[in-house]
Amino acid sequence: MTSTVPASLTRTAEGAALQAVFLDMDGTLVDTEGFWWDVEVEVFADLGHRLDEAWREVVVGGPMTRSAGYLMEATGADVTLDELTVLLNDRFEKRIGRGVPLMPGAARLLAELRRHEIPTALVSASHRRIIDRVLDSVGHHHFGLTVAGDEVSRTKPHPEPYLTAAQGFGADPRLCAVIEDTATGVAAAEAAGCRVVAVPSVSPIAAAEGRVVVRSLEEVNLTFLRSLIN
């Protein structure tokens, strides 16, 4: 976990109770879920295996150990998990070096949160090396704190990443809003007790108590996020 600025959790003039906003990265903030699948396809092709498109929904949004482990078992590839993790991260880092596209509405939302001094964290199952490379494009200054998948003992769908973010800001998870694009991330945020905005990327996510589903970040602004808490 990295933290660069102190959090301010004072209430605003409007009396809003929202204490912090946490965003997932791949597929939520940046349009890279397709990148990961392309990289997985390429790496396994190099290993002599063809991935079934149906497996994409199984591995989306999961930690590297889970997705890589599933694909190893499904293909029978002769590679260790540690070796495969290096191959995937190396190939993905090379891919995002050519540019990282933001999801529609992401730049506007990040600017609004920063303008209103809302403590904002990036919480991802991706490894630290990948997060830092993505933030070189997106802007490290948008986030007071970042939590990487290889910095927690239990990553998504376990609540630890979001509980870690809340603790880092000294915030009550019940007064934090999370934006996620996969069922795995939604499960982690809800288990932490946060309010959730789901923006499905690859697989559909149903609305539920304490969870709102939107089509795009273009539908999300600070007023909307505050309304989840009040």
Side-chain angles (χ1 to χ4, degrees):
M1 180 180 74
T2 63
S3 180
T4 57
V5 296
S8 174
L9 301 179
T10 57
R11 290 173 179 265
T12 66
E14 299 96 313
L18 178 68
Q19 290 190 342
V21 175
F22 306 144
L23 294 99
D24 173 55
M25 188 174 76
D26 296 298
T28 300
L29 178 65
V30 290
D31 191 8
T32 50
E33 285 291 10
F35 285 14
W36 275 113
W37 178 248
D38 290 346
V39 163
E40 288 161 347
V41 168
E42 292 169 6
V43 167
F44 275 90
D46 291 345
L47 295 171
H49 298 275
R50 182 176 180 178
L51 299 188
D52 189 319
E53 184 70 23
W55 298 340
R56 182 175 181 178
E57 290 193 15
V58 178
V59 301
V60 66
M64 177 73 73
T65 52
R66 191 197 77 183
S67 58
Y70 175 86
L71 294 174
M72 286 171 56
E73 183 175 352
T75 60
D78 184 18
V79 63
T80 68
L81 182 58
D82 287 343
E83 290 169 340
L84 182 56
T85 296
V86 171
L87 291 173
L88 291 171
N89 276 326
D90 284 351
R91 187 72 63 93
F92 188 78
E93 190 170 3
K94 182 178 179 180
R95 180 71 178 270
I96 62 178
R98 302 197 292 266
V100 182
L102 284 168
M103 297 297 287
R108 187 262 316 149
L109 178 60
L110 289 175
E112 182 180 17
L113 294 174
R114 182 171 173 79
R115 186 167 64 251
H116 289 273
E117 299 183 340
I118 303 299
T120 303
L122 185 68
V123 182
S124 175
S126 290
H127 289 189
R128 168 58 54 191
R129 61 182 284 199
I130 300 300
I131 289 179
D132 287 345
R133 178 57 67 90
V134 169
L135 289 182
D136 286 343
S137 296
V138 175
H140 294 261
H141 62 281
H142 289 298
F143 301 97
L145 186 152
T146 59
V147 179
D150 56 340
E151 295 174 338
V152 293
S153 58
R154 295 161 296 186
T155 189
K156 303 174 187 179
H158 195 276
E160 183 179 344
Y162 284 111
L163 292 174
T164 299
Q167 183 179 23
F169 280 146
D172 183 340
R174 297 169 298 177
L175 301 179
C176 298
V178 170
I179 305 176
E180 274 279 1
D181 72 305
T182 67
T184 298
V186 166
E190 291 181 341
C194 303
R195 295 290 182 173
V196 178
V197 180
V199 192
S201 58
V202 176
S203 302
I205 299 173
E209 184 177 355
R211 178 198 313 166
V212 178
V213 180
V214 299
R215 292 171 296 179
S216 165
L217 288 182
E218 293 178 318
E219 300 178 34
V220 180
N221 58 26
L222 182 53
T223 298
F224 176 87
L225 294 173
R226 283 174 170 157
S227 73
L228 303 177
I229 307 297
N230 293 339

